[in-house]
Amino acid sequence: MALTSPENRLWWKEHLHGVEIVWISIAFLWGLVMFFTMIYWHIAGEQNLSNEAYRVAPEEYGKRVEAFAEKYKVREEGTTSIPVVRPPAGGDAYMFGRLWEWWPILELQKGQSYRLHLSSMDWLHGWSLQPANINIEIHPNYEMIITIKPDQTGVFGVICNEYCGVGHSQMVGRIYVVD
Amino acid sequence: MSMPAIFRTCPETGLKIHGSAETLIKINAVVAVVFLALGGFLGLLVAMTRWPAVHLLPAEWFYLVLTGHGINVLIFWIIFFEVAVLYFASAVLLNCRLATPIIAWAAFVLMVVGAVMNNVAVFQGESSVMFTSYVPMPAAPHFYLGLILFAVGALVAVFVFFGTLVVARQERTYEGSVPLVTFGAITAAIIAVFSITSGALALIPAFLWSVGLVSHVDSLMYRVIWWGLGHSSQQINVAAHVAVWYAIAALVLGAKPLSEKVSRTAFLLYIAFLQIASAHHILADPGITSEWKVFNTSYAMYLAVLGSMIHGMSIPGAIEAAQRRNGFTHGMFEWLRRGPWGNPAFAALVLSVVMFGIAGGITGVVLGAEQLNLLMHNTLYVPGHFHATVVAGTTLAFMGITYPLVPLIFRRELVMKKVAQWQPYLFGIGALGISLFMMGAGTLGVSRRHWDIAFTEAPVPYDYPPTAYLMLGLNGLFAIMATIGGIMFVVVIVSSILFGAKRGEAEIKRNPVVFQGGAVAVSGYGSEGTLRLPGTVVLVSLFFVSFVLYYFINWKYLSEVWPLH
């Protein structure tokens, strides 16, 4: 029994049965398949999280985002008048999370690539693009840069999905993708 | 300090049981159940708030209650119970005295003080920072201090366990190697040392920061190290509940591992590889390279998953082998159909294995694939996954082993046997519903730890699909079902301990807890016997096919997302 010492004191010399050998081999090979699928996707897949990130002080990052918003603002929206910003196609776009908003709103062009910079001004936030369903952890002091290429038009919500205090559920931003 | 050790001989197993060990097992298990009841109740409040039509609590209370729910069940319930399991697997199974009972009591007191202190901090309302307490969101200093004291106590208890192993070896209280269940407990204890140390390394700086002695704690470093506690402590559970599965099968059916060598090797894989899974939580974070993520998140090419898949065959295999020896040999599945389904320990075992493996295991591997994580990171899919592993898996397994342990350790008859019979089904299916519907909502993008999925106060609106609302309603219904199952468990166990008939010779004869003649009956299986287990082969094949399909379906989903790099 599993509750008593093994009857065969030399249990490590037991030979394996066919069914055990087959299952262990299948399980091991499946592990390799899953491992190499991740590597394969880095080579052939189109959805890989960027490794590009920099240390940045929140104040410094905030200034850059404000300058960006100032330069490319096209209108304002929402109950708190968030600027809607239209960065040049193929260029840099900035957004930050802070208690409790995503700022600014972006308007992107379908089929164009953007270098999207993300960081937090205060606590951790979760950048969750819906319903496209891309979810990224946002830290203060770290600026992450992902290159995204929206492939559908529409209005997308940016939800905060890292708990950030009592206003967490008000923290909704937006990205427009237009033709 | 030295007191003569007092033993009794268990009339049912013939084991010599050390009085202090027995008392410590009882007290740790009882306190565990208290925290389960508290944490479970808070969980019900969470589910009732998530249910959009009910939306029970205001936001402040929701986050407070969610913090308390997570810590009480994930840390306090589980670790108190695991300490009881460790003392049982060492002192009781090895026929030996518990090393340093006084230090074991000190560990217990530290754990209680820590757990109470942490709960006080949470209920004072200044520490609604969730189970994870990510910096730089601040909690009260005694929030961290409580957790640190608890961790120190737990670490001391783990070393009492190691000490007991040494005592057993020196006093030659057993022959040959330790039993498999003890081997599993050793695995859990080794992982516990790693995991508790990581917890201290994350929480001590956070504590110093909360009292102003340290100016800054890096949020990324905190997450990497904290998850060495957060995820690894769930790996303690895996090792412990796999050991408990083997123990239940042995007690109820006289089952014996198919192969000691295979099962022990699988536990060794856990020791070597399970811990690096803290990477699962860092896959969507900046500043960490893909090479690190791929290697760590896959437990070095899925070697710990290999361990679990091995147990995934050897547990049902051991049950089938035992049942076939017990005479249920017709067809493919008579052994399963005619199992003792009215015995709550057996029902809990089977439900726990199936739900942990299929609902918990497969989804965990999918969540932990580097790129697939993008689809689900921080959505309700994550708690959906771990309610399958920790609630339907670990908690149900621990409930299952409690049914035979009440008569054996507390020496009381179970009361309300009918209630006990139905308990694992209600609790298990409730937990499964919770996890499936949370995963469903998560697949639709619903955020975890979120008070209002309608975003009523947001500056710009966003609407989740209506199906998400339906899923959270169903989640609430199944949470009620699991709560009823949980209440049934607590009521049965507490009343049995307090009011159950004392178990004398007559009761033992009439109602034996330990399978009669088990070891002899199944001795043909195991190392040298034939291994014809058609039922297990079919079940394992089904599991494997669903695993492969589900895995690749998720890559298909990923391929439809906006290109990004």
Short mmCIF file of all heavy atoms in Angstrom, two decimals, chain A residues 2 5 11 14 16-17 20 23 31 38 42 46-48 51 79 123 135 137 139 142 147 149 151-152 161-163 168, chain B residues 63 128 175 177 181 218-219 261 284-285 290 309 370-371 374-375 377-378 447 449 459 527 529 558 561-565:
data_model
loop_
_atom_site.label_atom_id
_atom_site.label_comp_id
_atom_site.label_asym_id
_atom_site.label_seq_id
_atom_site.Cartn_x
_atom_site.Cartn_y
_atom_site.Cartn_z
N ALA A 2 0.22 2.32 -0.42
CA ALA A 2 0.94 3.60 -0.45
C ALA A 2 1.19 4.13 0.95
O ALA A 2 1.96 5.07 1.15
CB ALA A 2 0.13 4.62 -1.25
N SER A 5 5.66 0.94 3.81
CA SER A 5 6.90 0.90 3.04
C SER A 5 6.74 -0.09 1.88
O SER A 5 5.99 -1.05 1.99
CB SER A 5 8.05 0.46 3.94
OG SER A 5 8.29 1.46 4.89
N TRP A 11 12.79 -1.32 -4.81
CA TRP A 11 11.78 -0.85 -5.75
C TRP A 11 12.36 -0.10 -6.93
O TRP A 11 11.80 -0.06 -8.01
CB TRP A 11 10.74 0.02 -5.03
CG TRP A 11 11.34 1.14 -4.23
CD1 TRP A 11 11.65 1.11 -2.90
CD2 TRP A 11 11.73 2.43 -4.69
NE1 TRP A 11 12.19 2.30 -2.50
CE2 TRP A 11 12.26 3.13 -3.58
CE3 TRP A 11 11.69 3.06 -5.93
CZ2 TRP A 11 12.73 4.42 -3.69
CZ3 TRP A 11 12.16 4.35 -6.03
CH2 TRP A 11 12.69 5.02 -4.91
N GLU A 14 12.75 -2.22 -10.01
CA GLU A 14 11.60 -2.80 -10.71
C GLU A 14 11.69 -2.49 -12.20
O GLU A 14 12.10 -1.41 -12.58
CB GLU A 14 10.31 -2.17 -10.19
CG GLU A 14 9.90 -2.61 -8.82
CD GLU A 14 8.79 -1.72 -8.24
OE1 GLU A 14 8.43 -0.71 -8.88
OE2 GLU A 14 8.31 -2.06 -7.15
N LEU A 16 9.90 -1.58 -15.79
CA LEU A 16 8.69 -0.86 -16.15
C LEU A 16 7.82 -1.73 -17.06
O LEU A 16 8.33 -2.49 -17.86
CB LEU A 16 9.04 0.44 -16.90
CG LEU A 16 9.84 1.44 -16.09
CD1 LEU A 16 10.14 2.67 -16.94
CD2 LEU A 16 9.07 1.86 -14.85
N HIS A 17 6.51 -1.54 -16.92
CA HIS A 17 5.60 -2.27 -17.79
C HIS A 17 5.41 -1.54 -19.11
O HIS A 17 5.60 -0.32 -19.18
CB HIS A 17 4.25 -2.43 -17.11
CG HIS A 17 4.31 -3.39 -15.97
ND1 HIS A 17 4.19 -4.75 -16.15
CD2 HIS A 17 4.49 -3.20 -14.65
CE1 HIS A 17 4.30 -5.33 -14.96
NE2 HIS A 17 4.49 -4.42 -14.04
N GLU A 20 3.21 1.52 -19.05
CA GLU A 20 3.84 2.67 -18.40
C GLU A 20 4.86 3.32 -19.32
O GLU A 20 4.92 4.55 -19.45
CB GLU A 20 4.52 2.23 -17.10
CG GLU A 20 3.53 1.89 -16.01
CD GLU A 20 4.17 1.22 -14.81
OE1 GLU A 20 5.16 0.46 -14.98
OE2 GLU A 20 3.69 1.44 -13.69
N TRP A 23 3.05 5.34 -22.05
CA TRP A 23 2.46 6.59 -21.57
C TRP A 23 3.51 7.62 -21.20
O TRP A 23 3.41 8.80 -21.56
CB TRP A 23 1.52 6.32 -20.38
CG TRP A 23 0.93 7.58 -19.79
CD1 TRP A 23 1.03 7.99 -18.50
CD2 TRP A 23 0.15 8.58 -20.46
NE1 TRP A 23 0.37 9.18 -18.32
CE2 TRP A 23 -0.18 9.57 -19.51
CE3 TRP A 23 -0.29 8.74 -21.77
CZ2 TRP A 23 -0.94 10.69 -19.83
CZ3 TRP A 23 -1.04 9.87 -22.09
CH2 TRP A 23 -1.36 10.83 -21.12
N GLY A 31 5.35 16.99 -24.20
CA GLY A 31 6.02 18.12 -23.56
C GLY A 31 6.97 18.81 -24.53
O GLY A 31 7.00 20.04 -24.64
N MET A 38 6.13 26.93 -28.74
CA MET A 38 6.37 28.32 -28.33
C MET A 38 7.52 28.92 -29.14
O MET A 38 7.46 30.07 -29.57
CB MET A 38 6.69 28.39 -26.84
CG MET A 38 5.50 28.09 -25.95
SD MET A 38 5.81 28.46 -24.21
CE MET A 38 6.87 27.11 -23.71
N HIS A 42 7.61 32.02 -32.19
CA HIS A 42 8.49 33.19 -32.24
C HIS A 42 9.03 33.38 -33.65
O HIS A 42 9.31 34.50 -34.07
CB HIS A 42 9.66 33.03 -31.26
CG HIS A 42 9.31 33.50 -29.88
ND1 HIS A 42 9.24 34.83 -29.56
CD2 HIS A 42 8.97 32.82 -28.77
CE1 HIS A 42 8.88 34.95 -28.29
NE2 HIS A 42 8.71 33.74 -27.79
N GLU A 46 2.58 35.46 -35.62
CA GLU A 46 2.49 36.92 -35.72
C GLU A 46 2.16 37.59 -34.40
O GLU A 46 2.06 38.79 -34.32
CB GLU A 46 1.44 37.29 -36.76
CG GLU A 46 1.86 36.94 -38.17
CD GLU A 46 0.99 37.66 -39.19
OE1 GLU A 46 -0.22 37.44 -39.16
OE2 GLU A 46 1.55 38.43 -39.98
N GLN A 47 1.90 36.80 -33.37
CA GLN A 47 1.54 37.39 -32.07
C GLN A 47 2.58 36.98 -31.03
O GLN A 47 2.51 35.89 -30.47
CB GLN A 47 0.15 36.91 -31.61
CG GLN A 47 -1.01 37.38 -32.47
CD GLN A 47 -1.18 36.55 -33.74
OE1 GLN A 47 -0.60 35.48 -33.88
NE2 GLN A 47 -1.99 37.04 -34.66
N ASN A 48 3.55 37.82 -30.84
CA ASN A 48 4.56 37.57 -29.80
C ASN A 48 4.74 38.84 -29.00
O ASN A 48 4.81 39.93 -29.58
CB ASN A 48 5.89 37.17 -30.43
CG ASN A 48 5.84 35.76 -31.00
OD1 ASN A 48 5.80 34.78 -30.26
ND2 ASN A 48 5.80 35.66 -32.33
N ASN A 51 10.01 42.12 -26.41
CA ASN A 51 10.99 42.08 -25.33
C ASN A 51 11.58 43.46 -25.08
O ASN A 51 12.52 43.61 -24.32
CB ASN A 51 12.12 41.11 -25.69
CG ASN A 51 11.70 39.68 -25.49
OD1 ASN A 51 10.91 39.36 -24.60
ND2 ASN A 51 12.21 38.79 -26.32
N THR A 79 -16.62 61.68 -20.31
CA THR A 79 -17.07 62.56 -19.24
C THR A 79 -15.91 63.36 -18.66
O THR A 79 -16.12 64.36 -17.99
CB THR A 79 -17.73 61.74 -18.13
OG1 THR A 79 -16.81 60.72 -17.74
CG2 THR A 79 -19.01 61.10 -18.59
N TRP A 123 0.52 52.83 -9.82
CA TRP A 123 0.55 51.43 -9.39
C TRP A 123 0.55 50.51 -10.61
O TRP A 123 0.60 50.98 -11.74
CB TRP A 123 -0.67 51.13 -8.50
CG TRP A 123 -0.65 51.88 -7.21
CD1 TRP A 123 0.42 52.57 -6.69
CD2 TRP A 123 -1.73 52.07 -6.30
NE1 TRP A 123 0.06 53.15 -5.50
CE2 TRP A 123 -1.23 52.86 -5.23
CE3 TRP A 123 -3.06 51.63 -6.25
CZ2 TRP A 123 -2.04 53.21 -4.14
CZ3 TRP A 123 -3.85 51.99 -5.17
CH2 TRP A 123 -3.34 52.77 -4.12
N ASN A 135 -3.81 41.14 -23.54
CA ASN A 135 -3.73 41.51 -22.12
C ASN A 135 -2.27 41.62 -21.68
O ASN A 135 -1.52 40.66 -21.77
CB ASN A 135 -4.43 40.45 -21.27
CG ASN A 135 -5.88 40.28 -21.67
OD1 ASN A 135 -6.73 41.09 -21.32
ND2 ASN A 135 -6.16 39.24 -22.44
N GLU A 137 0.61 43.34 -18.75
CA GLU A 137 0.82 43.90 -17.42
C GLU A 137 1.61 45.21 -17.56
O GLU A 137 2.63 45.26 -18.23
CB GLU A 137 1.63 42.88 -16.60
CG GLU A 137 1.78 43.22 -15.15
CD GLU A 137 0.56 42.84 -14.34
OE1 GLU A 137 -0.22 41.96 -14.74
OE2 GLU A 137 0.38 43.42 -13.25
N HIS A 139 3.66 48.22 -15.63
CA HIS A 139 4.35 48.59 -14.39
C HIS A 139 4.71 50.07 -14.40
O HIS A 139 5.02 50.62 -15.46
CB HIS A 139 5.67 47.81 -14.28
CG HIS A 139 5.50 46.37 -13.96
ND1 HIS A 139 5.74 45.85 -12.72
CD2 HIS A 139 5.13 45.31 -14.72
CE1 HIS A 139 5.54 44.55 -12.73
NE2 HIS A 139 5.16 44.19 -13.93
N TYR A 142 8.65 51.16 -15.75
CA TYR A 142 9.05 50.38 -16.92
C TYR A 142 8.20 50.83 -18.10
O TYR A 142 6.97 50.92 -17.99
CB TYR A 142 8.81 48.89 -16.70
CG TYR A 142 9.74 48.27 -15.69
CD1 TYR A 142 9.42 48.27 -14.34
CD2 TYR A 142 10.94 47.70 -16.11
CE1 TYR A 142 10.28 47.71 -13.41
CE2 TYR A 142 11.80 47.13 -15.18
CZ TYR A 142 11.47 47.15 -13.83
OH TYR A 142 12.32 46.59 -12.91
N THR A 147 4.91 46.59 -30.91
CA THR A 147 4.54 47.01 -32.25
C THR A 147 3.25 46.30 -32.61
O THR A 147 3.21 45.07 -32.64
CB THR A 147 5.65 46.65 -33.26
OG1 THR A 147 6.86 47.23 -32.77
CG2 THR A 147 5.33 47.16 -34.63
N LYS A 149 -0.37 45.97 -35.06
CA LYS A 149 -0.91 46.26 -36.39
C LYS A 149 -2.38 45.87 -36.36
O LYS A 149 -2.73 44.70 -36.55
CB LYS A 149 -0.14 45.41 -37.40
CG LYS A 149 -0.39 45.79 -38.83
CD LYS A 149 0.68 45.10 -39.67
CE LYS A 149 0.15 44.71 -41.02
NZ LYS A 149 1.07 43.80 -41.71
N ASP A 151 -5.89 44.88 -37.32
CA ASP A 151 -6.33 44.32 -38.59
C ASP A 151 -7.86 44.32 -38.72
O ASP A 151 -8.42 43.63 -39.54
CB ASP A 151 -5.76 42.92 -38.80
CG ASP A 151 -6.16 41.96 -37.70
OD1 ASP A 151 -6.94 42.36 -36.82
OD2 ASP A 151 -5.70 40.81 -37.73
N GLN A 152 -8.53 45.09 -37.88
CA GLN A 152 -9.96 45.25 -38.03
C GLN A 152 -10.35 46.65 -37.57
O GLN A 152 -9.72 47.21 -36.68
CB GLN A 152 -10.72 44.18 -37.23
CG GLN A 152 -10.29 44.12 -35.79
CD GLN A 152 -10.65 42.85 -35.04
OE1 GLN A 152 -9.90 42.44 -34.17
NE2 GLN A 152 -11.79 42.24 -35.34
N ASN A 161 -7.21 45.45 -16.14
CA ASN A 161 -7.47 44.15 -15.51
C ASN A 161 -6.42 43.74 -14.48
O ASN A 161 -6.29 42.58 -14.15
CB ASN A 161 -7.75 43.06 -16.55
CG ASN A 161 -6.53 42.64 -17.31
OD1 ASN A 161 -5.43 43.12 -17.05
ND2 ASN A 161 -6.70 41.73 -18.24
N GLU A 162 -5.66 44.74 -14.00
CA GLU A 162 -4.87 44.48 -12.78
C GLU A 162 -5.49 45.33 -11.70
O GLU A 162 -5.57 46.56 -11.84
CB GLU A 162 -3.40 44.82 -12.98
CG GLU A 162 -2.54 44.56 -11.77
CD GLU A 162 -2.53 43.08 -11.39
OE1 GLU A 162 -1.81 42.29 -12.03
OE2 GLU A 162 -3.29 42.72 -10.47
N TYR A 163 -5.92 44.71 -10.61
CA TYR A 163 -6.61 45.44 -9.55
C TYR A 163 -5.77 46.63 -9.09
O TYR A 163 -4.59 46.49 -8.78
CB TYR A 163 -6.89 44.50 -8.38
CG TYR A 163 -7.34 45.23 -7.14
CD1 TYR A 163 -8.56 45.88 -7.13
CD2 TYR A 163 -6.54 45.28 -6.01
CE1 TYR A 163 -8.98 46.56 -6.02
CE2 TYR A 163 -6.95 45.96 -4.89
CZ TYR A 163 -8.17 46.60 -4.90
OH TYR A 163 -8.58 47.28 -3.80
N HIS A 168 -10.91 50.86 -9.65
CA HIS A 168 -10.47 49.93 -10.69
C HIS A 168 -11.51 49.72 -11.80
O HIS A 168 -11.18 49.72 -12.99
CB HIS A 168 -10.13 48.62 -9.98
CG HIS A 168 -9.77 47.47 -10.86
ND1 HIS A 168 -8.88 47.58 -11.89
CD2 HIS A 168 -10.18 46.17 -10.83
CE1 HIS A 168 -8.75 46.40 -12.47
NE2 HIS A 168 -9.52 45.53 -11.86
N TYR B 63 -13.69 44.47 -2.61
CA TYR B 63 -12.25 44.25 -2.68
C TYR B 63 -11.68 43.77 -1.35
O TYR B 63 -10.75 42.97 -1.31
CB TYR B 63 -11.55 45.53 -3.18
CG TYR B 63 -11.92 45.87 -4.61
CD1 TYR B 63 -12.49 47.09 -4.94
CD2 TYR B 63 -11.72 44.94 -5.63
CE1 TYR B 63 -12.85 47.39 -6.25
CE2 TYR B 63 -12.08 45.23 -6.93
CZ TYR B 63 -12.64 46.45 -7.24
OH TYR B 63 -12.99 46.74 -8.54
N SER B 128 -6.87 46.34 1.49
CA SER B 128 -7.55 45.61 0.42
C SER B 128 -6.65 45.55 -0.79
O SER B 128 -6.89 46.20 -1.80
CB SER B 128 -8.88 46.28 0.08
OG SER B 128 -9.70 46.29 1.22
N GLU B 175 10.85 -0.22 8.04
CA GLU B 175 11.77 -1.05 7.28
C GLU B 175 11.93 -0.53 5.87
O GLU B 175 10.93 -0.19 5.23
CB GLU B 175 11.19 -2.47 7.18
CG GLU B 175 11.07 -3.21 8.49
CD GLU B 175 12.37 -3.92 8.84
OE1 GLU B 175 12.93 -4.57 7.93
OE2 GLU B 175 12.81 -3.80 9.99
N SER B 177 12.33 1.62 2.63
CA SER B 177 12.08 3.01 2.25
C SER B 177 10.80 3.52 2.90
O SER B 177 9.96 2.73 3.31
CB SER B 177 11.94 3.13 0.72
OG SER B 177 13.08 2.60 0.10
N VAL B 181 3.22 7.69 0.36
CA VAL B 181 2.52 8.88 0.83
C VAL B 181 3.50 9.80 1.57
O VAL B 181 3.49 11.03 1.40
CB VAL B 181 1.32 8.50 1.73
CG1 VAL B 181 0.73 9.73 2.40
CG2 VAL B 181 0.27 7.78 0.91
N ASP B 218 10.95 47.53 -6.06
CA ASP B 218 10.67 47.43 -7.49
C ASP B 218 9.49 46.50 -7.75
O ASP B 218 9.44 45.38 -7.27
CB ASP B 218 11.92 46.91 -8.21
CG ASP B 218 11.71 46.91 -9.70
OD1 ASP B 218 11.94 47.95 -10.32
OD2 ASP B 218 11.30 45.87 -10.25
N SER B 219 8.53 47.00 -8.55
CA SER B 219 7.30 46.23 -8.73
C SER B 219 7.53 44.95 -9.52
O SER B 219 6.90 43.93 -9.26
CB SER B 219 6.26 47.10 -9.44
OG SER B 219 6.75 47.52 -10.70
N LYS B 261 8.44 2.79 -8.33
CA LYS B 261 9.51 3.50 -9.03
C LYS B 261 8.95 4.64 -9.88
O LYS B 261 9.44 5.77 -9.82
CB LYS B 261 10.23 2.50 -9.92
CG LYS B 261 11.37 3.04 -10.74
CD LYS B 261 12.01 1.86 -11.43
CE LYS B 261 12.99 2.23 -12.49
NZ LYS B 261 13.60 0.99 -13.04
N ALA B 284 3.27 38.28 -19.25
CA ALA B 284 2.82 39.49 -19.93
C ALA B 284 3.49 40.72 -19.35
O ALA B 284 3.00 41.84 -19.48
CB ALA B 284 1.30 39.61 -19.81
N ASP B 285 4.63 40.56 -18.68
CA ASP B 285 5.32 41.69 -18.04
C ASP B 285 6.43 42.23 -18.92
O ASP B 285 7.03 41.50 -19.70
CB ASP B 285 5.91 41.25 -16.69
CG ASP B 285 4.85 41.13 -15.62
OD1 ASP B 285 3.80 40.53 -15.92
OD2 ASP B 285 5.05 41.63 -14.51
N SER B 290 12.02 36.67 -23.67
CA SER B 290 11.26 35.49 -24.07
C SER B 290 12.02 34.20 -23.75
O SER B 290 11.40 33.19 -23.43
CB SER B 290 10.96 35.53 -25.57
OG SER B 290 10.04 36.55 -25.81
N MET B 309 1.32 14.03 -15.45
CA MET B 309 0.68 13.10 -16.38
C MET B 309 0.96 11.66 -15.96
O MET B 309 0.12 10.77 -16.14
CB MET B 309 1.16 13.38 -17.81
CG MET B 309 0.53 14.66 -18.37
SD MET B 309 1.19 15.19 -19.96
CE MET B 309 0.28 14.14 -21.10
N GLU B 370 3.77 30.66 -23.35
CA GLU B 370 4.18 32.07 -23.35
C GLU B 370 3.22 32.97 -24.12
O GLU B 370 2.69 33.93 -23.57
CB GLU B 370 5.60 32.23 -23.90
CG GLU B 370 6.12 33.65 -23.65
CD GLU B 370 7.10 34.14 -24.69
OE1 GLU B 370 7.50 33.38 -25.58
OE2 GLU B 370 7.45 35.33 -24.63
N GLN B 371 2.97 32.64 -25.39
CA GLN B 371 2.16 33.57 -26.19
C GLN B 371 0.67 33.44 -25.90
O GLN B 371 -0.06 34.42 -25.94
CB GLN B 371 2.42 33.32 -27.68
CG GLN B 371 3.86 33.60 -28.12
CD GLN B 371 4.72 32.35 -28.10
OE1 GLN B 371 4.44 31.39 -27.39
NE2 GLN B 371 5.77 32.36 -28.89
N LEU B 374 -1.16 35.82 -23.45
CA LEU B 374 -1.67 37.13 -23.89
C LEU B 374 -3.19 37.17 -23.95
O LEU B 374 -3.82 38.20 -23.75
CB LEU B 374 -1.21 37.37 -25.33
CG LEU B 374 0.10 38.06 -25.60
CD1 LEU B 374 0.28 38.18 -27.10
CD2 LEU B 374 0.04 39.45 -24.98
N LEU B 375 -3.79 36.02 -24.29
CA LEU B 375 -5.24 35.97 -24.46
C LEU B 375 -5.97 35.98 -23.13
O LEU B 375 -7.16 36.29 -23.08
CB LEU B 375 -5.64 34.68 -25.18
CG LEU B 375 -5.19 34.50 -26.62
CD1 LEU B 375 -5.52 33.09 -27.09
CD2 LEU B 375 -5.90 35.52 -27.50
N HIS B 377 -4.26 36.61 -19.74
CA HIS B 377 -3.61 37.18 -18.58
C HIS B 377 -4.56 38.10 -17.81
O HIS B 377 -5.16 39.00 -18.40
CB HIS B 377 -2.37 37.96 -19.02
CG HIS B 377 -1.67 38.66 -17.91
ND1 HIS B 377 -0.96 38.00 -16.96
CD2 HIS B 377 -1.61 39.97 -17.57
CE1 HIS B 377 -0.48 38.87 -16.08
NE2 HIS B 377 -0.87 40.07 -16.43
N ASN B 378 -4.69 37.84 -16.51
CA ASN B 378 -5.53 38.69 -15.63
C ASN B 378 -7.01 38.72 -15.99
O ASN B 378 -7.73 39.58 -15.50
CB ASN B 378 -5.01 40.13 -15.59
CG ASN B 378 -3.97 40.30 -14.50
OD1 ASN B 378 -3.76 39.39 -13.72
ND2 ASN B 378 -3.35 41.44 -14.46
N SER B 447 -12.44 40.86 -16.95
CA SER B 447 -11.29 41.02 -16.07
C SER B 447 -11.51 40.30 -14.74
O SER B 447 -12.63 40.19 -14.26
CB SER B 447 -11.11 42.52 -15.81
OG SER B 447 -10.33 42.73 -14.67
N ARG B 449 -10.87 40.17 -10.53
CA ARG B 449 -10.78 41.17 -9.46
C ARG B 449 -11.48 42.46 -9.86
O ARG B 449 -10.90 43.55 -9.81
CB ARG B 449 -9.32 41.47 -9.13
CG ARG B 449 -8.61 40.27 -8.63
CD ARG B 449 -7.13 40.51 -8.52
NE ARG B 449 -6.50 39.46 -7.72
CZ ARG B 449 -5.22 39.37 -7.50
NH1 ARG B 449 -4.41 40.26 -7.98
NH2 ARG B 449 -4.73 38.41 -6.76
N PRO B 459 -15.33 56.85 -17.69
CA PRO B 459 -15.43 58.04 -18.53
C PRO B 459 -15.92 57.71 -19.95
O PRO B 459 -16.59 58.53 -20.57
CB PRO B 459 -14.01 58.61 -18.55
CG PRO B 459 -13.12 57.49 -18.10
CD PRO B 459 -13.95 56.62 -17.23
N SER B 527 4.85 -4.16 -8.94
CA SER B 527 6.07 -4.39 -9.69
C SER B 527 6.05 -5.60 -10.61
O SER B 527 6.30 -5.50 -11.80
CB SER B 527 7.22 -4.49 -8.72
OG SER B 527 6.84 -5.31 -7.65
N GLY B 529 3.50 -7.96 -11.16
CA GLY B 529 2.26 -8.52 -11.67
C GLY B 529 1.98 -8.12 -13.10
O GLY B 529 2.67 -7.31 -13.70
N LEU B 558 -5.30 32.49 -30.92
CA LEU B 558 -4.22 33.49 -30.87
C LEU B 558 -3.91 34.02 -32.26
O LEU B 558 -3.68 35.21 -32.45
CB LEU B 558 -2.97 32.87 -30.24
CG LEU B 558 -1.79 33.84 -30.12
CD1 LEU B 558 -2.05 34.91 -29.08
CD2 LEU B 558 -0.50 33.11 -29.78
N VAL B 561 -5.75 37.13 -33.41
CA VAL B 561 -5.59 38.40 -32.71
C VAL B 561 -4.73 39.34 -33.54
O VAL B 561 -3.95 38.90 -34.38
CB VAL B 561 -4.96 38.11 -31.32
CG1 VAL B 561 -4.46 39.36 -30.65
CG2 VAL B 561 -5.95 37.37 -30.45
N TRP B 562 -4.85 40.67 -33.30
CA TRP B 562 -4.00 41.65 -33.98
C TRP B 562 -2.54 41.21 -33.96
O TRP B 562 -2.04 40.86 -32.87
CB TRP B 562 -4.03 43.00 -33.25
CG TRP B 562 -5.31 43.72 -33.27
CD1 TRP B 562 -6.51 43.27 -33.73
CD2 TRP B 562 -5.54 45.04 -32.77
NE1 TRP B 562 -7.46 44.23 -33.56
CE2 TRP B 562 -6.91 45.34 -32.97
CE3 TRP B 562 -4.73 46.02 -32.18
CZ2 TRP B 562 -7.47 46.55 -32.60
CZ3 TRP B 562 -5.29 47.22 -31.80
CH2 TRP B 562 -6.65 47.49 -32.03
N PRO B 563 -1.86 41.30 -35.09
CA PRO B 563 -0.43 40.99 -35.05
C PRO B 563 0.30 41.96 -34.12
O PRO B 563 0.01 43.16 -34.12
CB PRO B 563 0.02 41.19 -36.50
CG PRO B 563 -1.23 41.03 -37.31
CD PRO B 563 -2.34 41.55 -36.45
N LEU B 564 1.19 41.43 -33.33
CA LEU B 564 2.00 42.31 -32.48
C LEU B 564 3.35 41.66 -32.20
O LEU B 564 3.46 40.43 -32.24
CB LEU B 564 1.28 42.62 -31.16
CG LEU B 564 1.21 41.56 -30.08
CD1 LEU B 564 0.99 42.21 -28.74
CD2 LEU B 564 0.10 40.58 -30.34
N HIS B 565 4.34 42.48 -31.99
CA HIS B 565 5.62 41.94 -31.57
C HIS B 565 6.41 43.01 -30.81
O HIS B 565 6.03 44.17 -30.79
CB HIS B 565 6.45 41.43 -32.75
CG HIS B 565 6.78 42.47 -33.76
ND1 HIS B 565 5.97 42.69 -34.87
CD2 HIS B 565 7.77 43.37 -33.86
CE1 HIS B 565 6.47 43.68 -35.60
NE2 HIS B 565 7.57 44.11 -34.99
#
